[in-house]
């Protein structure tokens, strides 16, 4: 997971992205439907739908050309914040419907940077893949005063064979995913720090050769190095 998340796929292409396009659109529609109808959503469906969307965004980033790197990174950060907020309330739809952090994470999707990124992805699928644009659920993103949104990269888009140094939003998204797997909620700064610490340790992809216990010790060390007062206490299932 660390290696895939920190090293963008250098062989991405429009054709590969088009193959994943329908899966991306379906996952997005399912996640929006689950979040928009919290009064009719089960905890299991809510969790599975949102996490499936995060997984699909990650897959899209692996196979897409460099022009989609930034918008997919913004989408991944936005959905990562939503995962953290929902995980904090135990994925309970009733609690989530009135939780301030969940509301903030949903409201972030109304910001022009996030909505623009999703629109850019949809336009790519429409033009490059001749895929019919899917309709977004109007009740998914809450309206109102915009609260803090994911920090996005101000770097220009790069081709896939250029420098693969991850952006801040990419590091945050990966940090959120790592923390979520250990049941810990992080701030944007903490998530970036954890991802950067682990990325430095396993920059060569050598995490594949590390056992579960050793990896867990390394994760705990990264949390301590980042000054996180709530370290992970259990190892993830996968």
């Amino acid at each position: 997971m660390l290696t895939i998340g920190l090293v963008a796929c250098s062989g991405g292409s429009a054709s590969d992205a088009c193959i994943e396009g329908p899966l991306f659109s379906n996952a997005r529609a399912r996640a929006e439907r689950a979040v928009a109808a919290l009064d009719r959503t089960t905890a299991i469906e809510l969790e599975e739908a949102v996490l499936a969307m995060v997984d699909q965004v990650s897959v899209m980033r692996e196979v897409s050309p460099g022009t989609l790197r930034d918008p997919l990174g913004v989408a991944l950060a936005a959905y990562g914040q939503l995962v953290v907020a929902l995980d904090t309330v135990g994925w309970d739809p009733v609690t989530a419907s009135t939780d301030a952090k969940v509301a903030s994470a949903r409201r972030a999707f109304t910001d022009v940077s996030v909505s623009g990124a999703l629109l850019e992805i949809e336009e790519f699928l429409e033009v490059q893949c001749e895929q019919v644009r899917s309709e977004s659920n109007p009740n998914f993103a809450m309206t109102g005063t915009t609260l803090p949104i994911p920090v996005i990269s101000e770097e220009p888009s790069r081709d896939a064979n250029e420098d693969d140094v991850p952006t801040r939003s990419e590091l945050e998204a990966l940090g959120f995913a790592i923390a979520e797997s250990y049941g810990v909620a992080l701030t944007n700064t903490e998530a970036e720090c954890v991802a950067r610490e682990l990325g430095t340790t396993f920059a060569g992809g050598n995490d594949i050769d590390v056992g579960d216990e050793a990896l867990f010790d390394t994760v705990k060390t990264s949390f301590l190095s980042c000054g996180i007062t709530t370290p992970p206490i259990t190892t993830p299932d996968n």
Side-chain angles (χ1 to χ4, degrees), residues 204-223:
N206 55 318
D207 56 306
I208 298 175
D209 302 321
V210 177
D212 290 343
E213 291 186 5
L215 178 60
F216 183 49
D217 289 338
T218 304
V219 171
K220 288 193 295 184
T221 299
S222 71
F223 273 54

Side-chain angles (χ1 to χ4, degrees), residues 92-217:
D92 177 53
V94 176
T95 306
S97 64
T98 58
D99 183 77
K101 290 183 178 179
V102 174
S104 173
R106 291 176 63 182
R107 190 174 293 114
F109 284 86
T110 64
D111 186 85
V112 65
S113 62
V114 179
S115 61
L118 291 171
L119 179 60
E120 187 173 345
I121 297 169
E122 288 286 351
E123 289 179 343
F124 175 92
L125 296 176
E126 182 182 23
V127 175
Q128 298 294 329
C129 311
E130 298 183 353
Q131 176 179 320
V132 177
R133 182 178 300 182
S134 59
E135 295 184 3
S136 60
N137 193 308
N139 297 319
F140 168 68
M142 297 183 66
T143 58
T145 304
T146 302
L147 297 182
I149 61 174
V151 178
I152 63 175
S153 170
E154 295 182 355
E155 302 173 6
S157 298
R158 299 184 294 258
D159 290 333
N161 61 352
E162 294 182 335
D163 184 18
D164 281 332
V165 176
T167 64
R168 178 178 296 176
S169 62
E170 292 166 355
L171 289 171
E172 288 177 0
L174 179 58
F176 286 139
I178 294 170
E180 192 274 334
S181 69
Y182 287 99
V184 180
L186 301 180
T187 64
N188 289 39
T189 301
E190 291 171 340
E192 179 189 359
C193 181
V194 168
R196 195 178 298 280
E197 286 283 326
L198 292 175
T200 300
T201 302
F202 297 119
N206 55 318
D207 56 306
I208 298 175
D209 302 321
V210 177
D212 290 343
E213 291 186 5
L215 178 60
F216 183 49
D217 289 338

Side-chain angles (χ1 to χ4, degrees), residues 22-56:
L23 297 177
F24 173 88
S25 296
N26 290 339
R28 180 183 175 187
R30 180 188 178 191
E32 291 188 354
R33 183 168 57 250
V35 175
L38 290 174
D39 58 332
R40 301 188 300 275
T41 303
T42 65
I44 293 177
E45 170 60 16
L46 180 62
E47 181 174 7
E48 289 183 351
V50 176
L51 291 182
M53 180 55 184
V54 173
D55 289 342
Q56 193 56 46

